[in-house]
Amino acid sequence: MLRTLMTAAGLLLVAVPAAAQDAAPGAGTWAFAFGAATDNRSKEASKSDGDAFVWGEAQWESDTGLFYAGPAFETVRSSTGSELEVKASAGVRPQVAGFDLDLNAAWKYQVDANPGADNDAWEFTADVRRSIGPASGRLRLQYSPDSIGSTEAWTWVEARVGWDFTDKLSGTASIGRREQDNSLDYTGWNAGFSYALTRNIEADLRYHATDADVPGEQYADALVAGVSFAF
């Protein structure tokens, strides 16, 4: 695990200063975040086999806020044998008819996978968001033409609603459906709360569940606690 974290930190340390050096003054801003949680949940399934994980990301955003890009990492326990997944992504965030859109393309790569394992994938995401007062909603569509590991093409469709109880406390609930080639189709949901401990630190407590009836930690229901730091 120590080797995994050192590799991840090295990737960010190399990528971020190089990109920042190339950016001219006024060409945009960088933001950074990192955190940890008791389980790595993606589309309501565990990517860490129920174990705790850490993650980090750096993101450049244009002055207009329309374009963004950056690297990221997260620790995993993958069927490929990898314990570290890195990602490079880019996207746009336009506003159309009062709705906030987020269109994103990401390339994911799992480090030190077993020889011959399918350890990289493209993933495309389209989000549509709308907020009215303390209420918010989001629709998400994600697609990959060929996933990491034995799974081939998949699609994830998710609806999320949220409510800001105070300027620090918010709650959200989501439900989604995943259809996969050469793997399990399932419905998953989560509900939980986020609390801003400070301007830069946020805690999250969330329950995840799926209708998948298979043994193991990947699809087991779980209460997940996490903390994130942003600067």
Side-chain angles (χ1 to χ4, degrees):
M1 179 61 72
L2 179 60
R3 179 187 172 193
T4 297
L5 296 179
M6 291 178 65
T7 302
L11 288 167
L12 286 180
L13 288 174
V14 169
V16 173
Q21 187 176 16
D22 292 338
T29 58
W30 280 94
F32 307 91
F34 64 93
T38 55
D39 191 3
N40 185 351
R41 289 272 157 164
S42 175
K43 304 166 190 69
E44 312 314 334
S46 176
K47 297 177 66 175
S48 58
D49 203 24
D51 291 339
F53 85 111
V54 296
W55 60 272
E57 66 179 19
Q59 188 176 102
W60 170 86
E61 184 176 86
S62 66
D63 288 337
T64 62
L66 180 60
F67 301 101
Y68 67 93
F73 79 88
E74 59 186 81
T75 56
V76 297
R77 289 191 179 275
S78 174
S79 60
T80 67
S82 174
E83 293 187 349
L84 173 65
E85 183 175 286
V86 296
K87 179 177 73 172
S89 63
V92 294
R93 298 188 180 109
Q95 290 186 329
V96 178
F99 291 88
D100 297 319
L101 307 185
D102 190 338
L103 310 176
N104 176 283
W107 179 72
K108 297 183 175 182
Y109 177 80
Q110 293 192 343
V111 180
D112 289 335
N114 296 328
D118 184 1
N119 64 337
D120 72 318
W122 281 94
E123 186 173 299
F124 304 94
T125 303
D127 287 347
V128 181
R129 297 184 178 92
R130 183 69 183 266
S131 296
I132 302 175
S136 63
R138 185 190 73 187
L139 292 176
R140 165 168 288 182
L141 172 63
Q142 289 184 299
Y143 170 75
S144 175
D146 184 12
S147 188
I148 289 173
S150 60
T151 302
E152 297 176 356
W154 57 261
T155 302
W156 171 257
V157 181
E158 179 191 76
R160 185 184 75 181
V161 294
W163 188 271
D164 293 334
F165 296 98
T166 69
D167 58 348
K168 293 186 175 183
L169 178 65
S170 62
T172 60
S174 304
I175 185 168
R177 176 70 180 176
R178 190 173 191 179
E179 302 282 348
Q180 306 182 95
D181 292 341
N182 201 36
S183 190
L184 178 70
D185 298 336
Y186 66 90
T187 298
W189 62 273
N190 76 74
F193 298 93
S194 296
Y195 187 81
L197 300 171
T198 71
R199 181 179 178 182
N200 304 103
I201 305 174
E202 184 175 86
D204 188 86
L205 185 64
R206 192 163 302 278
Y207 188 81
H208 300 261
T210 74
D211 66 352
D213 187 16
V214 294
E217 295 287 348
Q218 183 179 9
Y219 298 105
D221 299 356
L223 181 64
V224 179
V227 62
S228 61
F229 303 83
F231 57 98

